[in-house]
Amino acid sequence: MRSTILQTATRYLLPILLLFSVFLLLRGHYYPGGGFVGGLVASIAFVLHSFANGAEASMKIMRRKPLSLIPIGLGLSMFSIIIPTFFGYPPMTGLWLEEKFPVIGSVGTALFFDIGVYLVVVGVVLTILFTISLNQD
């Protein structure tokens, strides 16, 4: 039995929580936050949606299995770690573009590393939770 109140609330909370997770992701360059915290908030948004509407409905919204986000995130993080070596710097050295972008600010390898961590966290958390949820039904 699904709660109508929870279903209605999650209809509005899902986009707000996802937007907040992106804010935390982008804020992580200068202040606390980043890929891990942003990924956890995004995962919580989908978990809340799955509580209200079922795991199948949440999987439909994602349009791909969360397991596929893990190698994409790992690849992006590895790319950001290795790219400085092509410029003669040690791995994990932060490289930044000269110009700043509106809303985002400075773009560099740290942002790509954070995005990779974000995708890995979302992929791992949702894979575990959806696997548990779908096996119980």
Side-chain angles (χ1 to χ4, degrees), residues 8-71:
T8 305
T10 56
R11 189 176 308 135
Y12 297 106
L13 284 174
L14 180 69
I16 291 170
L17 285 171
L18 290 177
L19 185 64
F20 182 61
S21 76
V22 171
F23 167 76
L24 287 173
L25 169 70
L26 296 176
R27 184 178 184 259
H29 290 311
Y30 308 108
Y31 300 107
F36 186 77
V37 175
L40 286 178
V41 171
S43 299
I44 289 169
F46 283 108
V47 168
L48 182 63
H49 187 272
S50 71
F51 283 165
N53 302 302
E56 296 86 12
S58 297
M59 296 278 282
K60 268 187 182 178
I61 289 176
M62 292 189 67
R63 296 186 184 154
R64 64 176 56 213
K65 291 186 177 185
L67 187 63
S68 66
L69 296 176
I70 297 170

Side-chain angles (χ1 to χ4, degrees), residues 86-135:
F86 296 118
F87 296 100
Y89 297 108
M92 293 191 77
T93 301
L95 300 177
W96 302 91
L97 294 177
E98 300 263 336
E99 64 183 74
K100 292 188 177 192
F101 290 87
V103 179
I104 297 174
S106 298
V107 173
T109 54
L111 176 63
F112 294 110
F113 183 81
D114 280 344
I115 293 171
V117 170
Y118 180 92
L119 293 174
V120 168
V121 168
V122 170
V124 167
V125 170
L126 292 183
T127 297
I128 292 169
L129 292 175
F130 286 163
T131 301
I132 292 170
S133 176
L134 292 174
N135 285 338

